[in-house]
Amino acid sequence: MININAISKRYSNTDAPVLSKLSLTVADGESVSIRGASGSGKSTLLSLIAGFESPDSGSITIGSQTLPFSSEKNADRFRRQALGVIFQSYNLIECLNVWDNIAFTSRLKGNSDDEYQLHIMGLLGITHLKNKPAHQLSGGEQQRVAISRALVHKPTLVLADEPTGNLDEATSDKVSAALYDTCQSLKTTLVVVTHSDDVARMAGQQRWLRHGQLHSEPA
Ligand SMILES: Nc1ncnc2c1ncn2[C@@H]1O[C@H](COP(=O)(O)OP(=O)(O)OP(=O)(O)O)[C@@H](O)[C@H]1O
Ligand SMILES: [Mg+2]
C-alpha cells in the first residue's frame, strides 16, 4: 500500500509550490494512472515516491517503509528489492548490451533469472535485440529495455514515467498491455504517468494532476 498524505514540494526557483498538500492511496497490487499538463509535477511526484527527493511537508509510506529512508544504504536496498522505476529518460548504461542492461538490477540483488528475463523481453518484443549495445537502440527500443529492466526483478512497486511516450500506437498498446498484465500477475502496485488516454484508462484508478493536487476528474 502506498499512502501519501498531504505532501507539498516547492523548488527554490519557482514561485508556487509544484505539489500542494497532495494525497493519494494505492492498495497493494492496484494500478493508478496520472495525467496532467507538462510541468504540472508528475515526475516530481514519482521522484518523491521513490525517495530520490523529500517533500517539504506531509508523509509518504510504502508498505511498512516510511520515507525518508533512514540511510542511503536502506534506500538502496529498498529500491533494489521492492522498486522498479521507468524513468522519463531511460538511463540505460550505454556501453552494455540489452541483455546486461536488463539483468543489471537483479544481478545486484543476486537473483537474476534468465528464463524470466526472456519471458519479459518476449512480452515487450525485444528478444531479438538481446546482444545489441544500448547506444545503438532507437528511442522506442530503449524505452522497452527500460521497462524490462524495471520489471525483471519482480518488484512490489513500479513507478512508470511516460512508459510509452516514444512508441507508435500499435507498439504502445502492446507495451502498455504487457506492463499492466505483468504487474497484475505479480500483484505489483503500479503508478503510471502518461499523456496517453488509452494507457491511462487501463489503470484501476485514474487521476489528473493540476494546481499541485490530484483530482478524480479531468479539468
Ligand atoms: N530539480 C528541479 N529543480 C528546480 N525545478 C524543478 C526541478 N524538477 C522539476 N522542477 C520544476 O517543477 C515543475 C514540475 O516539473 P515536473 O518535471 O515534475 O513536471 P511534469 O509534470 O513531469 O512535466 P512533463 O509532462 O513535461 O514531464 C516544473 O516547473 C519544473 O521546472
Ligand atoms: Mg515529467
mmCIF file of all heavy atoms in Angstrom, residues 85-87 89-102 104 126 132-150:
data_model
loop_
_atom_site.group_PDB
_atom_site.id
_atom_site.type_symbol
_atom_site.label_atom_id
_atom_site.label_comp_id
_atom_site.label_asym_id
_atom_site.label_seq_id
_atom_site.Cartn_x
_atom_site.Cartn_y
_atom_site.Cartn_z
ATOM 1 N N VAL A 85 11.703 1.357 -11.402
ATOM 2 C CA VAL A 85 11.420 2.707 -11.888
ATOM 3 C C VAL A 85 11.680 2.775 -13.387
ATOM 4 O O VAL A 85 12.736 2.357 -13.861
ATOM 5 C CB VAL A 85 12.294 3.770 -11.176
ATOM 6 C CG1 VAL A 85 11.925 5.166 -11.668
ATOM 7 C CG2 VAL A 85 12.111 3.701 -9.677
ATOM 8 N N ILE A 86 10.686 3.266 -14.123
ATOM 9 C CA ILE A 86 10.860 3.513 -15.549
ATOM 10 C C ILE A 86 10.947 5.023 -15.690
ATOM 11 O O ILE A 86 9.950 5.734 -15.501
ATOM 12 C CB ILE A 86 9.684 2.939 -16.352
ATOM 13 C CG1 ILE A 86 9.564 1.433 -16.086
ATOM 14 C CG2 ILE A 86 9.862 3.225 -17.841
ATOM 15 C CD1 ILE A 86 8.214 0.857 -16.433
ATOM 16 N N PHE A 87 12.148 5.526 -15.935
ATOM 17 C CA PHE A 87 12.373 6.968 -15.972
ATOM 18 C C PHE A 87 11.902 7.541 -17.306
ATOM 19 O O PHE A 87 11.883 6.858 -18.325
ATOM 20 C CB PHE A 87 13.867 7.280 -15.814
ATOM 21 C CG PHE A 87 14.444 6.879 -14.492
ATOM 22 C CD1 PHE A 87 15.094 5.668 -14.341
ATOM 23 C CD2 PHE A 87 14.339 7.713 -13.395
ATOM 24 C CE1 PHE A 87 15.631 5.296 -13.121
ATOM 25 C CE2 PHE A 87 14.875 7.352 -12.174
ATOM 26 C CZ PHE A 87 15.520 6.133 -12.031
ATOM 27 N N SER A 89 13.587 9.719 -18.950
ATOM 28 C CA SER A 89 14.788 9.475 -19.768
ATOM 29 C C SER A 89 15.264 8.091 -19.345
ATOM 30 O O SER A 89 15.252 7.775 -18.169
ATOM 31 C CB SER A 89 15.853 10.517 -19.480
ATOM 32 O OG SER A 89 16.048 10.616 -18.088
ATOM 33 N N TYR A 90 15.668 7.261 -20.264
ATOM 34 C CA TYR A 90 15.708 5.824 -19.972
ATOM 35 C C TYR A 90 16.828 5.398 -19.039
ATOM 36 O O TYR A 90 16.770 4.361 -18.408
ATOM 37 C CB TYR A 90 15.770 5.030 -21.279
ATOM 38 C CG TYR A 90 14.796 5.562 -22.283
ATOM 39 C CD1 TYR A 90 15.230 6.114 -23.477
ATOM 40 C CD2 TYR A 90 13.436 5.574 -21.996
ATOM 41 C CE1 TYR A 90 14.327 6.655 -24.378
ATOM 42 C CE2 TYR A 90 12.529 6.115 -22.887
ATOM 43 C CZ TYR A 90 12.983 6.653 -24.079
ATOM 44 O OH TYR A 90 12.096 7.190 -24.948
ATOM 45 N N ASN A 91 17.902 6.210 -18.977
ATOM 46 C CA ASN A 91 19.019 5.890 -18.078
ATOM 47 C C ASN A 91 19.600 4.497 -18.316
ATOM 48 O O ASN A 91 19.902 3.785 -17.365
ATOM 49 C CB ASN A 91 18.596 5.998 -16.603
ATOM 50 C CG ASN A 91 18.252 7.407 -16.208
ATOM 51 O OD1 ASN A 91 18.407 8.324 -17.011
ATOM 52 N ND2 ASN A 91 17.797 7.596 -15.000
ATOM 53 N N LEU A 92 19.738 4.108 -19.571
ATOM 54 C CA LEU A 92 20.405 2.833 -19.842
ATOM 55 C C LEU A 92 21.916 3.043 -19.736
ATOM 56 O O LEU A 92 22.401 4.171 -19.839
ATOM 57 C CB LEU A 92 20.055 2.331 -21.250
ATOM 58 C CG LEU A 92 18.582 2.067 -21.520
ATOM 59 C CD1 LEU A 92 18.390 1.478 -22.921
ATOM 60 C CD2 LEU A 92 17.973 1.139 -20.476
ATOM 61 N N ILE A 93 22.622 1.941 -19.529
ATOM 62 C CA ILE A 93 24.085 2.022 -19.489
ATOM 63 C C ILE A 93 24.570 1.782 -20.918
ATOM 64 O O ILE A 93 24.476 0.671 -21.444
ATOM 65 C CB ILE A 93 24.651 0.998 -18.490
ATOM 66 C CG1 ILE A 93 24.025 1.268 -17.111
ATOM 67 C CG2 ILE A 93 26.170 1.080 -18.431
ATOM 68 C CD1 ILE A 93 24.219 0.180 -16.105
ATOM 69 N N GLU A 94 25.014 2.860 -21.534
ATOM 70 C CA GLU A 94 25.299 2.888 -22.980
ATOM 71 C C GLU A 94 26.231 1.787 -23.452
ATOM 72 O O GLU A 94 26.053 1.224 -24.519
ATOM 73 C CB GLU A 94 25.949 4.233 -23.331
ATOM 74 C CG GLU A 94 25.045 5.410 -23.091
ATOM 75 C CD GLU A 94 24.603 6.032 -24.386
ATOM 76 O OE1 GLU A 94 25.457 6.198 -25.266
ATOM 77 O OE2 GLU A 94 23.394 6.318 -24.501
ATOM 78 N N CYS A 95 27.252 1.495 -22.642
ATOM 79 C CA CYS A 95 28.279 0.557 -23.120
ATOM 80 C C CYS A 95 27.846 -0.893 -22.941
ATOM 81 O O CYS A 95 28.486 -1.807 -23.458
ATOM 82 C CB CYS A 95 29.607 0.824 -22.410
ATOM 83 S SG CYS A 95 29.449 0.649 -20.638
ATOM 84 N N LEU A 96 26.751 -1.138 -22.215
ATOM 85 C CA LEU A 96 26.292 -2.521 -22.037
ATOM 86 C C LEU A 96 25.266 -2.878 -23.103
ATOM 87 O O LEU A 96 24.542 -2.007 -23.584
ATOM 88 C CB LEU A 96 25.632 -2.703 -20.664
ATOM 89 C CG LEU A 96 26.494 -2.544 -19.416
ATOM 90 C CD1 LEU A 96 25.669 -2.863 -18.167
ATOM 91 C CD2 LEU A 96 27.713 -3.460 -19.480
ATOM 92 N N ASN A 97 25.200 -4.169 -23.441
ATOM 93 C CA ASN A 97 24.180 -4.579 -24.399
ATOM 94 C C ASN A 97 22.813 -4.684 -23.695
ATOM 95 O O ASN A 97 22.699 -4.492 -22.478
ATOM 96 C CB ASN A 97 24.580 -5.874 -25.131
ATOM 97 C CG ASN A 97 24.577 -7.091 -24.219
ATOM 98 O OD1 ASN A 97 23.932 -7.095 -23.178
ATOM 99 N ND2 ASN A 97 25.300 -8.123 -24.607
ATOM 100 N N VAL A 98 21.789 -4.980 -24.492
ATOM 101 C CA VAL A 98 20.413 -5.006 -23.991
ATOM 102 C C VAL A 98 20.261 -6.015 -22.847
ATOM 103 O O VAL A 98 19.720 -5.708 -21.779
ATOM 104 C CB VAL A 98 19.452 -5.340 -25.158
ATOM 105 C CG1 VAL A 98 18.081 -5.753 -24.660
ATOM 106 C CG2 VAL A 98 19.343 -4.132 -26.092
ATOM 107 N N TRP A 99 20.777 -7.221 -23.050
ATOM 108 C CA TRP A 99 20.633 -8.268 -22.032
ATOM 109 C C TRP A 99 21.218 -7.811 -20.697
ATOM 110 O O TRP A 99 20.583 -7.938 -19.648
ATOM 111 C CB TRP A 99 21.321 -9.555 -22.511
ATOM 112 C CG TRP A 99 21.163 -10.669 -21.519
ATOM 113 C CD1 TRP A 99 22.021 -10.996 -20.511
ATOM 114 C CD2 TRP A 99 20.048 -11.562 -21.408
ATOM 115 N NE1 TRP A 99 21.517 -12.025 -19.772
ATOM 116 C CE2 TRP A 99 20.319 -12.406 -20.304
ATOM 117 C CE3 TRP A 99 18.868 -11.731 -22.132
ATOM 118 C CZ2 TRP A 99 19.436 -13.407 -19.912
ATOM 119 C CZ3 TRP A 99 17.993 -12.740 -21.739
ATOM 120 C CH2 TRP A 99 18.282 -13.563 -20.638
ATOM 121 N N ASP A 100 22.441 -7.262 -20.737
ATOM 122 C CA ASP A 100 23.121 -6.889 -19.491
ATOM 123 C C ASP A 100 22.473 -5.668 -18.835
ATOM 124 O O ASP A 100 22.443 -5.559 -17.606
ATOM 125 C CB ASP A 100 24.609 -6.626 -19.751
ATOM 126 C CG ASP A 100 25.343 -7.918 -20.102
ATOM 127 O OD1 ASP A 100 24.849 -8.995 -19.721
ATOM 128 O OD2 ASP A 100 26.399 -7.849 -20.762
ATOM 129 N N ASN A 101 21.920 -4.763 -19.637
ATOM 130 C CA ASN A 101 21.185 -3.641 -19.060
ATOM 131 C C ASN A 101 19.988 -4.130 -18.248
ATOM 132 O O ASN A 101 19.738 -3.665 -17.140
ATOM 133 C CB ASN A 101 20.678 -2.710 -20.175
ATOM 134 C CG ASN A 101 21.555 -1.492 -20.364
ATOM 135 O OD1 ASN A 101 21.551 -0.581 -19.536
ATOM 136 N ND2 ASN A 101 22.330 -1.490 -21.434
ATOM 137 N N ILE A 102 19.251 -5.086 -18.814
ATOM 138 C CA ILE A 102 18.049 -5.582 -18.138
ATOM 139 C C ILE A 102 18.420 -6.376 -16.881
ATOM 140 O O ILE A 102 17.767 -6.286 -15.847
ATOM 141 C CB ILE A 102 17.200 -6.439 -19.107
ATOM 142 C CG1 ILE A 102 16.703 -5.569 -20.268
ATOM 143 C CG2 ILE A 102 16.012 -7.080 -18.382
ATOM 144 C CD1 ILE A 102 16.043 -6.346 -21.396
ATOM 145 N N PHE A 104 20.910 -6.005 -14.968
ATOM 146 C CA PHE A 104 21.761 -5.261 -14.040
ATOM 147 C C PHE A 104 21.253 -5.285 -12.589
ATOM 148 O O PHE A 104 21.978 -5.669 -11.676
ATOM 149 C CB PHE A 104 21.881 -3.812 -14.550
ATOM 150 C CG PHE A 104 23.002 -3.063 -13.922
ATOM 151 C CD1 PHE A 104 24.314 -3.290 -14.317
ATOM 152 C CD2 PHE A 104 22.756 -2.135 -12.937
ATOM 153 C CE1 PHE A 104 25.362 -2.600 -13.731
ATOM 154 C CE2 PHE A 104 23.800 -1.439 -12.344
ATOM 155 C CZ PHE A 104 25.103 -1.666 -12.744
ATOM 156 N N ILE A 126 11.409 -7.463 -27.614
ATOM 157 C CA ILE A 126 12.805 -7.029 -27.796
ATOM 158 C C ILE A 126 13.806 -8.175 -27.706
ATOM 159 O O ILE A 126 15.015 -7.929 -27.591
ATOM 160 C CB ILE A 126 13.208 -5.925 -26.778
ATOM 161 C CG1 ILE A 126 12.901 -6.362 -25.349
ATOM 162 C CG2 ILE A 126 12.516 -4.600 -27.100
ATOM 163 C CD1 ILE A 126 13.529 -5.455 -24.303
ATOM 164 N N LYS A 132 22.494 -6.355 -28.691
ATOM 165 C CA LYS A 132 22.786 -5.034 -29.245
ATOM 166 C C LYS A 132 23.232 -4.066 -28.146
ATOM 167 O O LYS A 132 22.604 -4.020 -27.081
ATOM 168 C CB LYS A 132 21.519 -4.487 -29.920
ATOM 169 C CG LYS A 132 21.827 -3.830 -31.226
ATOM 170 C CD LYS A 132 20.584 -3.406 -31.952
ATOM 171 C CE LYS A 132 21.046 -2.769 -33.248
ATOM 172 N NZ LYS A 132 20.029 -2.065 -33.957
ATOM 173 N N PRO A 133 24.281 -3.281 -28.366
ATOM 174 C CA PRO A 133 24.639 -2.293 -27.354
ATOM 175 C C PRO A 133 23.570 -1.205 -27.243
ATOM 176 O O PRO A 133 22.930 -0.845 -28.246
ATOM 177 C CB PRO A 133 25.954 -1.694 -27.864
ATOM 178 C CG PRO A 133 26.197 -2.237 -29.208
ATOM 179 C CD PRO A 133 25.180 -3.294 -29.524
ATOM 180 N N ALA A 134 23.384 -0.697 -26.044
ATOM 181 C CA ALA A 134 22.301 0.261 -25.788
ATOM 182 C C ALA A 134 22.426 1.501 -26.659
ATOM 183 O O ALA A 134 21.416 2.075 -27.073
ATOM 184 C CB ALA A 134 22.286 0.636 -24.311
ATOM 185 N N HIS A 135 23.648 1.916 -26.963
ATOM 186 C CA HIS A 135 23.810 3.167 -27.720
ATOM 187 C C HIS A 135 23.385 3.019 -29.180
ATOM 188 O O HIS A 135 23.307 4.019 -29.888
ATOM 189 C CB HIS A 135 25.243 3.701 -27.610
ATOM 190 C CG HIS A 135 26.282 2.814 -28.214
ATOM 191 N ND1 HIS A 135 26.609 2.863 -29.536
ATOM 192 C CD2 HIS A 135 27.047 1.841 -27.660
ATOM 193 C CE1 HIS A 135 27.544 1.955 -29.780
ATOM 194 N NE2 HIS A 135 27.821 1.325 -28.666
ATOM 195 N N GLN A 136 23.092 1.779 -29.611
ATOM 196 C CA GLN A 136 22.628 1.604 -30.996
ATOM 197 C C GLN A 136 21.106 1.437 -31.090
ATOM 198 O O GLN A 136 20.571 1.098 -32.140
ATOM 199 C CB GLN A 136 23.286 0.370 -31.619
ATOM 200 C CG GLN A 136 24.762 0.571 -31.914
ATOM 201 C CD GLN A 136 25.405 -0.691 -32.460
ATOM 202 O OE1 GLN A 136 24.725 -1.654 -32.811
ATOM 203 N NE2 GLN A 136 26.731 -0.698 -32.500
ATOM 204 N N LEU A 137 20.397 1.652 -29.987
ATOM 205 C CA LEU A 137 18.949 1.424 -29.998
ATOM 206 C C LEU A 137 18.181 2.689 -30.355
ATOM 207 O O LEU A 137 18.614 3.799 -30.038
ATOM 208 C CB LEU A 137 18.488 0.969 -28.607
ATOM 209 C CG LEU A 137 19.114 -0.302 -28.048
ATOM 210 C CD1 LEU A 137 18.637 -0.501 -26.609
ATOM 211 C CD2 LEU A 137 18.769 -1.515 -28.890
ATOM 212 N N SER A 138 17.019 2.515 -30.966
ATOM 213 C CA SER A 138 16.117 3.655 -31.193
ATOM 214 C C SER A 138 15.497 4.051 -29.851
ATOM 215 O O SER A 138 15.562 3.295 -28.871
ATOM 216 C CB SER A 138 15.005 3.249 -32.165
ATOM 217 O OG SER A 138 14.057 2.433 -31.510
ATOM 218 N N GLY A 139 14.857 5.213 -29.818
ATOM 219 C CA GLY A 139 14.213 5.671 -28.582
ATOM 220 C C GLY A 139 13.184 4.677 -28.061
ATOM 221 O O GLY A 139 13.146 4.362 -26.874
ATOM 222 N N GLY A 140 12.350 4.163 -28.970
ATOM 223 C CA GLY A 140 11.310 3.212 -28.562
ATOM 224 C C GLY A 140 11.888 1.895 -28.072
ATOM 225 O O GLY A 140 11.348 1.263 -27.158
ATOM 226 N N GLU A 141 13.005 1.486 -28.679
ATOM 227 C CA GLU A 141 13.671 0.260 -28.212
ATOM 228 C C GLU A 141 14.267 0.471 -26.818
ATOM 229 O O GLU A 141 14.127 -0.378 -25.933
ATOM 230 C CB GLU A 141 14.755 -0.155 -29.217
ATOM 231 C CG GLU A 141 14.175 -0.689 -30.528
ATOM 232 C CD GLU A 141 15.206 -0.806 -31.656
ATOM 233 O OE1 GLU A 141 16.338 -0.278 -31.516
ATOM 234 O OE2 GLU A 141 14.876 -1.403 -32.684
ATOM 235 N N GLN A 142 14.895 1.628 -26.624
ATOM 236 C CA GLN A 142 15.459 1.939 -25.294
ATOM 237 C C GLN A 142 14.359 1.939 -24.244
ATOM 238 O O GLN A 142 14.537 1.458 -23.129
ATOM 239 C CB GLN A 142 16.116 3.321 -25.295
ATOM 240 C CG GLN A 142 17.387 3.394 -26.107
ATOM 241 C CD GLN A 142 17.936 4.818 -26.093
ATOM 242 O OE1 GLN A 142 18.175 5.400 -25.049
ATOM 243 N NE2 GLN A 142 18.125 5.387 -27.267
ATOM 244 N N GLN A 143 13.198 2.482 -24.635
ATOM 245 C CA GLN A 143 12.076 2.549 -23.708
ATOM 246 C C GLN A 143 11.650 1.151 -23.262
ATOM 247 O O GLN A 143 11.412 0.905 -22.086
ATOM 248 C CB GLN A 143 10.914 3.241 -24.416
ATOM 249 C CG GLN A 143 9.764 3.538 -23.512
ATOM 250 C CD GLN A 143 9.065 4.807 -23.952
ATOM 251 O OE1 GLN A 143 8.795 4.978 -25.136
ATOM 252 N NE2 GLN A 143 8.776 5.673 -23.028
ATOM 253 N N ARG A 144 11.604 0.229 -24.221
ATOM 254 C CA ARG A 144 11.185 -1.133 -23.878
ATOM 255 C C ARG A 144 12.237 -1.878 -23.057
ATOM 256 O O ARG A 144 11.905 -2.710 -22.218
ATOM 257 C CB ARG A 144 10.802 -1.893 -25.154
ATOM 258 C CG ARG A 144 9.440 -1.421 -25.676
ATOM 259 C CD ARG A 144 9.041 -2.082 -26.946
ATOM 260 N NE ARG A 144 9.737 -1.521 -28.090
ATOM 261 C CZ ARG A 144 9.892 -2.147 -29.246
ATOM 262 N NH1 ARG A 144 9.409 -3.363 -29.398
ATOM 263 N NH2 ARG A 144 10.520 -1.554 -30.245
ATOM 264 N N VAL A 145 13.516 -1.545 -23.289
ATOM 265 C CA VAL A 145 14.578 -2.130 -22.451
ATOM 266 C C VAL A 145 14.420 -1.605 -21.017
ATOM 267 O O VAL A 145 14.513 -2.360 -20.038
ATOM 268 C CB VAL A 145 15.979 -1.779 -23.006
ATOM 269 C CG1 VAL A 145 17.072 -2.250 -22.053
ATOM 270 C CG2 VAL A 145 16.173 -2.408 -24.383
ATOM 271 N N ALA A 146 14.146 -0.299 -20.902
ATOM 272 C CA ALA A 146 13.991 0.304 -19.571
ATOM 273 C C ALA A 146 12.807 -0.307 -18.821
ATOM 274 O O ALA A 146 12.868 -0.526 -17.607
ATOM 275 C CB ALA A 146 13.819 1.811 -19.706
ATOM 276 N N ILE A 147 11.732 -0.614 -19.550
ATOM 277 C CA ILE A 147 10.565 -1.243 -18.915
ATOM 278 C C ILE A 147 10.925 -2.662 -18.451
ATOM 279 O O ILE A 147 10.605 -3.067 -17.327
ATOM 280 C CB ILE A 147 9.357 -1.266 -19.876
ATOM 281 C CG1 ILE A 147 8.906 0.167 -20.184
ATOM 282 C CG2 ILE A 147 8.203 -2.070 -19.281
ATOM 283 C CD1 ILE A 147 7.828 0.270 -21.257
ATOM 284 N N SER A 148 11.618 -3.396 -19.314
ATOM 285 C CA SER A 148 12.029 -4.764 -18.943
ATOM 286 C C SER A 148 12.902 -4.733 -17.697
ATOM 287 O O SER A 148 12.745 -5.547 -16.787
ATOM 288 C CB SER A 148 12.826 -5.418 -20.071
ATOM 289 O OG SER A 148 12.101 -5.393 -21.271
ATOM 290 N N ARG A 149 13.817 -3.771 -17.651
ATOM 291 C CA ARG A 149 14.732 -3.668 -16.506
ATOM 292 C C ARG A 149 13.956 -3.375 -15.223
ATOM 293 O O ARG A 149 14.299 -3.863 -14.151
ATOM 294 C CB ARG A 149 15.749 -2.550 -16.772
ATOM 295 C CG ARG A 149 16.752 -2.361 -15.662
ATOM 296 C CD ARG A 149 17.652 -1.181 -15.916
ATOM 297 N NE ARG A 149 16.886 0.031 -16.164
ATOM 298 C CZ ARG A 149 17.415 1.188 -16.547
ATOM 299 N NH1 ARG A 149 18.709 1.280 -16.753
ATOM 300 N NH2 ARG A 149 16.666 2.245 -16.741
ATOM 301 N N ALA A 150 12.890 -2.604 -15.331
ATOM 302 C CA ALA A 150 12.113 -2.258 -14.136
ATOM 303 C C ALA A 150 11.272 -3.434 -13.641
ATOM 304 O O ALA A 150 10.878 -3.467 -12.483
ATOM 305 C CB ALA A 150 11.205 -1.072 -14.438
#
